[in-house]
Amino acid sequence: RWLRENTPPSSVVASWWDHGFEIAHLGRRAVLADGSLWGANGTQLAHLAEALLSPEQLGCEILKEMHANYVLTIFGGLMGEPSDDLSKASWMSRVAQLPSGNIRNDTLLYKLAYYRYGTMKVDGYLGLDRVR
């Protein structure tokens, strides 16, 4: 609902493919990738994965080239949800044919996930990630 009410109808949202269906159908906005059979092709999905796993500035440039106006990532560190987008980084690496391993803290995905998180108090601690 927030997307429908706060973004122009012509907006394009970048998110990992498993969130695309809900964004497209509930938010009524175009997406770069979704899980439907007619969704993103492998090349576009690999390009999206490359953008999310690139250093912030390069990742933003790639998403602009893909015509994305917004980026939506899911972060589970506050609630202790282990299946957030950070946990999918190794799969993103495989799709983009990038070296796998721990996600670097300079990537667009990491920076979006932890944006202002250090100012939030969780269980009495600032910036406590309940998953990692």
Side-chain angles (χ1 to χ4, degrees):
R1 183 174 169 180
W2 186 94
L3 281 171
R4 271 196 320 262
E5 295 175 356
N6 294 281
T7 62
S10 60
S11 298
V12 177
V13 180
S15 70
W16 195 233
W17 68 267
D18 50 352
H19 311 302
F21 183 83
E22 288 85 4
I23 294 167
H25 295 281
L26 299 176
R28 298 187 188 138
R29 295 297 176 261
V31 295
L32 295 180
D34 66 31
S36 68
L37 295 174
W38 57 87
N41 63 41
T43 302
Q44 181 155 324
L45 191 58
H47 207 48
L48 174 59
E50 179 186 4
L52 292 171
L53 297 176
S54 290
E56 182 180 13
Q57 185 173 349
L58 177 58
C60 288
E61 290 171 12
I62 293 170
L63 292 178
K64 284 179 188 175
E65 289 172 6
M66 296 178 80
H67 305 289
N69 308 105
Y70 296 89
V71 182
L72 184 141
T73 57
I74 304 299
F75 175 65
L78 180 63
M79 301 301 295
E81 175 54 52
S83 61
D84 62 5
D85 287 341
L86 287 173
S87 70
K88 298 170 189 167
S90 62
W91 290 105
M92 292 178 195
S93 295
R94 289 181 186 138
V95 168
Q97 297 181 343
L98 298 170
S100 61
N102 292 332
I103 185 169
R104 297 184 332 263
N105 64 3
D106 68 336
T107 63
L108 179 60
L109 178 61
Y110 185 95
K111 293 212 174 192
L112 288 170
Y114 287 106
Y115 179 71
R116 293 189 179 174
Y117 193 64
T119 64
M120 297 183 70
K121 199 171 242 188
V122 182
D123 293 336
Y125 300 96
L126 286 175
L128 174 68
D129 185 338
R130 292 181 176 174
V131 177
R132 283 158 279 281

